[in-house]
Amino acid sequence: MIKQIEIESFNEKIIVKRILGKVKGSKESPTVIAIAGIHGNERAGINSLLTVFKTIEAEQIKIKGNFYGISGNINAISENIRFKNVDLNRVWTSEKILKLYLEDDLEIESQEQKEIYEIIKEILQKENGPFYFLDLHTTSSDTQPFITISDSLDNRTFSSNFSIPTILGIEEYLDGPLLTYINEYGYVALGFEAGQHEKKDSVDNCVAFLWLALVAAKCVKKKHVKKYSFYKNSLSLFNEQQDFYKIDYKYTIKPFEQFKMIDGYKNFQKVIKDELLAFSNECEVVSALNGIIFMPLYQKKGDDGFFIISKISKFWLNISRVLRKLHIHNILKLLPGVSSEKKKPYLLIVNPKTAKYLATEIFHLFGYRKKVVKNDKLYFIKRDRKVSKFI
Ligand SMILES: [Zn+2]
């Protein structure tokens, strides 16, 4: 087990252990599991979790079910870096988890992953659902708070409790984030980006988010949260209504590439086609389309340069909800070039030639996410899933 560490974070001396807090309430369910610091330089989530656990204890707030706080990359947290060798939020695939049990000499991030994996597994075996997973992050650029989710209807419903922008489908552009892995077992899982890494506001935003989430999950009663209205307002200050966004473009930084974002871009700032956004090896990188810039990279580690996103219409959101509720996704399997396996009914195997004329958008509408696999096939994986045994 990785030992606890003591750090100074946001002018506070704090102790970081793998389990940051644990409260067992009167009833058996629900169970809320919050993870903080899976990126070691994103400490706001850790401070906020410790604060919330302290308040629960000091004010003897009644809890229904269970509330857990888990820390992420403790070795990286101790050095205030995103990760040491491997990004701990890009390793959550069945193959990589299996490897944790096949190799004796695990490198540093794999040890962390194994501990987190075993704790999550134990909680899922021991406690009762519904389970709600919250992953707390911050960004290198200045930003208002936002949520990222896999586009399942359960995730959408839960994220509607927060009046902040929600970005759907970022997992199609990332390899192996923890929440995608958890989602595939049918659990609700929200990523919360609280603000810029160093800003104290990010801690406050995380605290507000955690209380709202505990109330939304019915773990805590609204009337027991003294500053509930303040928390609700402080998050919704940024956006009166909730908007959903989709990702249209991602700029990936290649190995050894010198990438430099133009200074001053704020998250959710509008950009126009051909606007100069960055320099790559001293060559200009311009926007490929009109849209909204998302997560521009202002730190050294990480290979996502920036994203371009756009707002999703209410019409699309409603239509996709109705289609999914009617369970008519099976018609996709009748299309030429689309097949599925009996054992994995949630998976569609699509011939890339078919995919060319059948827009990814169709699969998104029915709640599938795209996964590119090596042997010339495309996988589309259903996001709305029944809860299955976590392995
Ligand atoms: Zn992060």
Side-chain angles (χ1 to χ4, degrees), residues 39 42 137-138:
H39 291 136
E42 302 176 13
H137 288 260
T138 49

Side-chain angles (χ1 to χ4, degrees), residues 74-88:
I74 296 178
N75 285 296
I77 293 167
S78 74
E79 291 183 36
N80 204 11
I81 51 173
R82 187 175 166 93
F83 56 84
K84 285 181 87 101
N85 304 318
V86 192
D87 188 331
L88 193 55

Side-chain angles (χ1 to χ4, degrees), residues 365-376:
L365 199 59
F366 283 88
Y368 285 80
R369 74 172 174 93
K370 184 165 77 174
K371 186 181 176 192
V372 182
V373 286
K374 283 181 190 122
N375 53 352
D376 253 16

Side-chain angles (χ1 to χ4, degrees), residues 37-42 82 87 89-90 135-139 192-193 197 295 299:
I38 199 159
H39 291 136
N41 59 335
E42 302 176 13
R82 187 175 166 93
D87 188 331
N89 203 27
R90 300 287 184 275
D135 191 11
L136 308 175
H137 288 260
T138 49
T139 57
F192 177 67
E193 300 274 356
H197 299 325
M295 303 244 274
Q299 64 189 8

Side-chain angles (χ1 to χ4, degrees), residues 226-238:
K226 275 189 194 158
K227 287 161 73 182
Y228 183 84
S229 309
F230 169 79
Y231 293 141
K232 185 94 187 158
N233 290 334
S234 72
L235 283 191
S236 56
L237 263 184
F238 301 97

